[in-house]
Structure formats: structure tokens, C-alpha cells
Amino acid sequence: MGLPERLRKEWFILGIVLVIAVARLEPGVGVKGGPLKPEITITYIAVSAIFFNSGLSLKTEELTSALMHVKLHLFVQIFTLVFFPTAIWVFLQLLSITPINEWLLKGLQTVGCMPPPVSSAVILTKAVGGNEAAAIFNSAFGSFLGIVITPLLLLLFLGSSSSVPFTSIFSQLFMTVVVPLIIGQIVRRYIKDWLERKKPPFGAISSCVLLMIIYTTFCDTFANPNIDLDKFSLVIIVFIIFSIQMSFMFLTFLFSTRNNSTFTPADTVAIVFCSTHKSLTLGIPMLKIVFAGYEHLSLISVPLLIYHPAQILLGSLLVPTIKSWMVSRQKALKLTRQPKAPVKV
């Protein structure tokens, strides 16, 4: 990962800390009905802006080269959207008997339901030299799947606020997620040359809008006198998140490198990152929609806010190790495929 990208990620993580601190000092500004009017500016305008931005920045033409690698795509999507949330649900049945805050545990389940991210998995796969096209395809395809599957998973594992009907959730998702994405893709077709020439900072724009969403979410929390978060639960959740990530990265690595696997070392790199990373950009707006009216919404959001920097930190630390493994594995495979020289008599 290049220095500018690393700095951008660190800036965003610091931004999360800053907006939570500002929300703590003056929660009245960003609460529902407050001066910022988040029920309009955030719920509709900010969320739509994020997905219009995603549609504008998504290079659809880059995905066609990876389209036919069906086995890899199936592996990533099934692991991310079926195995991951189910495994977390089983794990949470054991954790439910502990004194850990129940809303943080529910937040862990929401992490499991999220689709892969559009950025971090691709950036790390590229940094290692893995199958970047497969990473781009699965991140983009997973995000599109997530628009439909993630709310269904959230409703399946957690239920929803009784004040928000099922049809209302999907109509809002359609208007604020699907429509802006499609419009972004259409606009991109007409200004593609300008976009490639100017290279607008799509990532930074989405990050700024996302910080606004996080800020208003925590304003609602700190304005509620009934919310109480104990430090013990928070420390345990951080430890659990790092443990889950390490375990799942190791698991996907084992599965994709077993003897009867047809995946190349470059494929394995894309699989490890795409299968275990979760989208904050999609996640926070979706939680806002699905759990509208929940007084514990920000506590549910905390594990996802921790998971995001944790996946970038862990991934960045593992880049040299994974790169070293991939290069040596590729050399070994190349040697085994070389034809033997004929023996001279």
C-alpha cells in the first residue's frame, strides 16, 4: 500500500475519533430534529451522495476480464454472505451468556451480514500483487448483492424496529442506494474521459460524507441519557474482532490452497482479502435505514466502526508476509511445470 493511501486511511480513522468526540461535546447539533436536520440531510441526501459517488467511480469495464472466474466468485460470495454471518451467529450464542453488552454483540452480528468493501480489499490485493481484477469484481458484485442480501440477513438474524415496515426499508434502500448507483454509472459513460483525466478524489469524498453519517449517529446516542457503554465490553469486542479477522483469513487461506484447489497463488490473495473484509461505506447507511428508530443504533454500529480500521491495519501488516508467500509459491509452481531436459546418452 502506497504512502498517500496509508495517510488517507489514517486520516479517516482519526476523523472517526474526532467526529465521535465532537458529538460527545455537543450532541444537540446533529440529533434528529436538530439544526443539521439529519432525518433529511443524512437519511436521504448523504446516503444517496455516497452511492452516486460509488456508481461514478466504479470502472465497469475492468470487471469484464474477471467475469468468467465463476468458482472464485462463488467461493468469495458464499463465504462472505452465508458462512460469515452464520458462523458469527453460532459464536454469539456462546457469548450471550457473558456480561458483554448485548447491543455490541448485536453489532458483531451486523458486521457478519455486511458485503465486501469496494476499496480496502482491492487496495491490499494490488499491494501484494494478487488477482486485482478478481478483487475488483467481487468487491463490486458483493456490494450490489449486499443491497438486497444484507438487509435480509439483518432482518433474519436481528429483526427490525417495529416502527419501520419491511416494504419501507426496501423502498428507501432502492431510492437512496440502487437509483443513485445506476445514475452514477450512466453519468460515468458520458464523462468517462474527463474522469480518467482529472481523477477526482472519490474515496475522500465518500469518507467525508461517511463521517457526517457517523457524527449524527453518535449525536443521537449521546443525547440519550439511557445509553451506557462499559469499557470492559468495548475492550473484549476489540479483541474478538481481531481474533475473528485472523481466524477467517487463515481459514480462507487453508481452503483456497488445499491440494485439490484450482486457485492460483494470486487468486488466493484476492480470496483472503475479499472474503474477510466488510464494507463500512455500505454498512453504516444500511444500519441507519434498517434500524431507524432504534435508540441503540450507535452501539450496534460500534463493532463495524472498529472492524473497518482493524481490517486495514491487519491487512497492511500482513502484506509483506503474503507477498513473500505468493512469490515463492509461484516460483515453486513454475519449476514443477517446466519440462524435464532429455537425458544425453
Side-chain angles (χ1 to χ4, degrees):
M1 186 184 289
L3 185 62
E5 186 59 42
R6 193 174 290 137
L7 285 172
R8 188 179 75 75
K9 292 295 181 186
E10 286 173 3
W11 161 80
F12 180 61
I13 292 161
L14 288 171
I16 291 175
V17 175
L18 182 65
V19 296
I20 293 172
V22 172
R24 181 74 183 91
L25 289 170
E26 197 55 62
V29 176
V31 294
K32 191 174 181 181
L36 280 182
K37 299 287 181 198
E39 61 273 20
I40 298 166
T41 56
I42 300 300
T43 305
Y44 295 100
I45 299 170
V47 175
S48 298
I50 279 184
F51 290 100
F52 172 75
N53 192 44
S54 294
L56 205 57
S57 62
L58 194 63
K59 295 181 180 178
T60 322
E61 59 273 15
E62 284 187 3
L63 309 181
T64 51
S65 61
L67 193 60
M68 301 312 293
H69 208 333
V70 178
K71 190 179 175 185
L72 188 150
H73 308 327
L74 280 174
F75 182 98
V76 171
Q77 300 307 328
I78 290 171
F79 190 95
T80 308
L81 295 169
V82 179
F83 177 81
F84 203 129
T86 307
I88 295 292
W89 182 82
V90 171
F91 182 49
L92 290 182
Q93 303 314 300
L94 301 172
L95 288 179
S96 62
I97 59 170
T98 67
I100 300 170
N101 186 294
E102 65 167 311
W103 299 103
L104 289 180
L105 292 181
K106 287 179 187 290
L108 271 179
Q109 185 65 67
T110 69
V111 170
C113 298
M114 292 302 151
V118 176
S119 57
S120 61
V122 176
I123 292 161
L124 291 166
T125 301
K126 187 176 182 178
V128 173
N131 190 339
E132 190 186 351
I136 291 168
F137 178 87
N138 279 284
S139 293
F141 184 57
S143 296
F144 281 113
L145 279 180
I147 292 166
V148 176
I149 294 175
T150 294
L152 287 173
L153 289 172
L154 290 170
L155 293 166
L156 174 69
F157 286 109
L158 295 168
S160 177
S161 164
S162 57
S163 62
V164 183
F166 189 82
T167 50
S168 171
I169 290 168
F170 280 94
S171 61
Q172 193 176 334
L173 274 170
F174 184 79
M175 293 307 297
T176 57
V177 177
V178 180
V179 172
L181 262 173
I182 293 168
I183 293 171
Q185 282 281 282
I186 292 167
V187 172
R188 180 182 172 80
R189 287 182 64 185
Y190 293 99
I191 60 167
K192 189 172 77 172
D193 292 339
W194 180 85
L195 290 172
E196 288 178 1
R197 193 169 63 250
K198 294 290 184 182
K199 298 194 186 319
F202 291 116
I205 294 166
S206 283
S207 295
C208 287
V209 179
L210 197 56
L211 287 175
M212 281 177 60
I213 295 171
I214 293 165
Y215 167 70
T216 56
T217 301
F218 276 85
C219 280
D220 282 336
T221 300
F222 296 128
N224 186 341
N226 301 321
I227 297 290
D228 181 38
L229 176 59
D230 60 294
K231 290 182 176 66
F232 166 78
S233 293
L234 197 58
V235 171
I236 295 296
I237 289 292
V238 171
F239 174 75
I240 289 169
I241 283 169
F242 275 94
S243 302
I244 287 169
Q245 282 198 32
M246 289 299 292
S247 302
F248 283 2
M249 286 178 90
F250 184 64
L251 194 62
T252 51
F253 178 80
L254 283 181
F255 267 107
S256 59
T257 55
R258 66 193 191 281
N259 290 333
N260 61 342
S261 168
T262 56
F263 298 125
T264 66
D267 291 341
T268 295
V269 173
I271 286 168
V272 167
F273 288 127
C274 289
S275 301
T276 57
H277 280 211
K278 293 292 184 175
S279 177
L280 183 70
T281 311
L282 273 165
I284 294 293
M286 278 194 181
L287 291 181
K288 275 283 220 187
I289 295 167
V290 177
F291 295 109
Y294 261 48
E295 63 174 356
H296 297 282
L297 172 62
S298 58
L299 288 186
I300 292 173
S301 308
V302 165
L304 187 57
L305 290 170
I306 297 169
Y307 199 95
H308 178 78
Q311 70 190 12
I312 294 164
L313 177 64
L314 265 180
S316 302
L317 290 172
L318 289 170
V319 161
T321 308
I322 297 173
K323 191 169 190 172
S324 174
W325 168 82
M326 189 188 76
V327 171
S328 61
R329 182 79 176 140
Q330 283 173 333
K331 283 179 181 174
L333 287 170
K334 203 172 181 181
L335 286 171
T336 56
R337 286 171 187 163
Q338 280 181 352
K340 291 179 181 178
V343 181
K344 291 183 181 178
V345 180

